């Protein structure tokens, strides 16, 4: 083992010395079946090299990882008098033990895994979907129903993971909450992404009195995992009663729990032409499925004499452009 370590030049790397020494020492104790005997053997001249390699747990990242991995022991056989074999840790137990020992990760993904595991796994799933989609799109054989089905499934995965990432890691401001990518995937037509940005992000239908509202960009301020401020930015808000066009803005203080989002807040409408004046009202919204589908009620004009005539009920669909992009023409390979 000493000669192999020299051939591999493990002594030139501090990290390699730590790992090799820790594992070799543990293996020696298992081979002898006695921890005390292993310690005595390490004191002999022929084994001094391994003592030099052996890890001394320090307050560094690698030392904490090795200590954690080797911490749980179990008997090697039913007749064993000592627990010397390394027991396998589950992944969750390993991460929990690292946190208890104050592990300070050096790599970005590891920091994310320790501090925000949900974000880590969602990000990993999105990367997997991205790479799988690129592989499918790069295939040169003619399109088939199986390929289209696979791409549809990958597109659905992109929809879910990208939306989840948009809603994670508060506090922060999300300017564009849609699931559209920053740039098109390889082997796809670039114009499809540009065209998707022309499609409204959210469509709301007034089912009580008739009307439709379109929004292309609605920033969201994420305060905590359970609380955010969702904006209302509807350049086009049409009321069929009176054939009135308006532009509406507002802000909904929104609570997120159990897969639901419940928000309420003020709204302000500027009518066109501007000579028709303005309205100040209220809106409340209940959303499900990553806030993609919503039902809401509102009051268009609080100062109106007839309050009942100003109430409205609407059904809304968000991330419309994202759903069309991921489940639509992006799947077709460029010529």
């Amino acid at each position: 083992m000493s000669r192999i370590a020299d051939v591999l030049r493990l002594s030139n790397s501090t990290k390699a010395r730590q790992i090799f020494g820790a594992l070799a020492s543990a293996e020696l104790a298992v081979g002898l079946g006695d921890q005390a005997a292993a310690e005595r053997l390490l004191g002999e001249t022929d084994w001094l090299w391994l003592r030099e390699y052996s890890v001394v747990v320090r307050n560094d990242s690698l030392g904490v990882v090795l200590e954690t991995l080797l911490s749980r022991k179990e008997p090697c056989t039913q007749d064993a008098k000592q627990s010397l074999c390394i027991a396998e840790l589950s992944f969750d137990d390993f991460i929990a033990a690292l946190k208890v020992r104050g592990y300070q990760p050096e790599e970005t993904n590891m920091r994310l895994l320790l501090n925000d595991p949900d974000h880590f796994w969602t990000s990993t799933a999105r990367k997997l979907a991205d790479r799988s989609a690129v592989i499918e799109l790069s295939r040169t054989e003619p399109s088939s129903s199986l390929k289209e089905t696979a791409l549809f499934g990958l597109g659905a995965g992109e929809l879910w993971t990208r939306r989840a990432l948009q809603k994670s890691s508060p506090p922060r401001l999300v300017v564009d909450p849609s699931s559209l990518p920053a740039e098109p995937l390889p082997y796809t037509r670039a114009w499809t992404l540009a065209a998707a940005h022309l499609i409204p992000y959210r469509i709301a239908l007034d089912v009580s009195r008739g009307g439709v509202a379109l929004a292309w960009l609605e920033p969201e301020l994420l305060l905590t995992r359970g609380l955010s401020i969702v904006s209302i930015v509807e350049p086009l808000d049409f009321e069929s009663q009176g054939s009135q066009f308006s532009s509406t803005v507002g802000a909904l203080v929104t609570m997120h729990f159990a897969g639901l989002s419940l928000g309420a807040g003020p709204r302000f409408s500027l009518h066109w032409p501007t000579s028709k004046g303005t309205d100040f009202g209220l809106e409340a919204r209940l959303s499900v499925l990553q806030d993609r589908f919503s039902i809401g009620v509102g009051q268009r004009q609080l100062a109106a004499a007839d309050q009942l005539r100003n109430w409205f009920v609407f059904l809304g669909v968000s991330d419309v452009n994202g759903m069309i992009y991921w489940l639509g023409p992006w799947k077709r390979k460029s010529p």
Side-chain angles (χ1 to χ4, degrees), residues 125-186:
R126 194 213 69 188
K127 292 177 183 177
L128 179 61
D130 283 349
R131 293 167 184 173
S132 299
V134 170
I135 292 173
E136 287 297 322
L137 291 166
S138 66
R139 298 183 186 276
T140 57
E141 62 266 20
S143 180
S144 64
S145 59
L146 180 60
K147 179 178 180 178
E148 291 297 317
T149 301
L151 286 173
F152 185 89
L154 291 171
E158 294 277 11
L159 274 174
W160 189 266
T161 55
R162 287 176 180 272
R163 186 73 164 183
L165 287 174
Q166 289 280 23
K167 299 288 186 178
S168 63
S169 301
R172 65 188 182 95
L173 174 65
V174 179
V175 177
D176 183 4
S178 76
S179 60
L180 290 176
E183 57 185 26
L185 292 181

Side-chain angles (χ1 to χ4, degrees), residues 22-186:
L23 297 180
S25 298
E27 187 66 25
L28 179 61
V30 171
L32 296 175
D34 189 326
Q35 183 66 48
E39 293 293 335
R40 289 194 299 269
L41 191 60
L42 288 174
E44 297 182 5
T45 303
D46 291 341
W47 288 88
L48 287 178
W49 67 272
L50 182 53
R51 183 175 291 278
E52 294 176 357
Y53 272 71
S54 297
V55 62
V56 177
V57 177
R58 300 183 299 273
N59 186 23
D60 67 345
S61 299
L62 182 57
V64 174
V65 171
L66 288 171
E67 179 189 15
T68 303
L69 289 173
L70 302 177
S71 61
R72 185 176 296 181
K73 304 291 183 65
E74 63 183 4
C76 299
T77 64
Q78 293 182 350
D79 300 330
K81 297 180 180 180
Q82 299 180 30
S83 297
L84 298 175
C85 284
I86 308 302
E88 183 177 354
L89 289 170
S90 68
F91 189 78
D92 290 339
D93 289 343
F94 174 63
I95 297 301
L98 288 179
K99 291 181 179 179
V100 170
R101 287 175 167 81
Y103 175 68
Q104 297 297 323
E106 300 176 1
E107 201 268 338
T108 302
N109 280 336
M110 195 64 185
R111 286 197 297 269
L112 186 62
L113 176 59
L114 291 177
N115 299 326
D116 193 348
D118 291 339
H119 186 111
F120 170 82
W121 289 117
T122 303
S123 177
T124 301
R126 194 213 69 188
K127 292 177 183 177
L128 179 61
D130 283 349
R131 293 167 184 173
S132 299
V134 170
I135 292 173
E136 287 297 322
L137 291 166
S138 66
R139 298 183 186 276
T140 57
E141 62 266 20
S143 180
S144 64
S145 59
L146 180 60
K147 179 178 180 178
E148 291 297 317
T149 301
L151 286 173
F152 185 89
L154 291 171
E158 294 277 11
L159 274 174
W160 189 266
T161 55
R162 287 176 180 272
R163 186 73 164 183
L165 287 174
Q166 289 280 23
K167 299 288 186 178
S168 63
S169 301
R172 65 188 182 95
L173 174 65
V174 179
V175 177
D176 183 4
S178 76
S179 60
L180 290 176
E183 57 185 26
L185 292 181

Side-chain angles (χ1 to χ4, degrees), residues 240-257:
S240 61
Q241 289 188 356
S243 299
Q244 181 169 271
F245 288 89
S246 308
S247 293
T248 302
V249 296
L252 306 178
V253 178
T254 305
M255 295 181 294
H256 309 277
F257 55 92

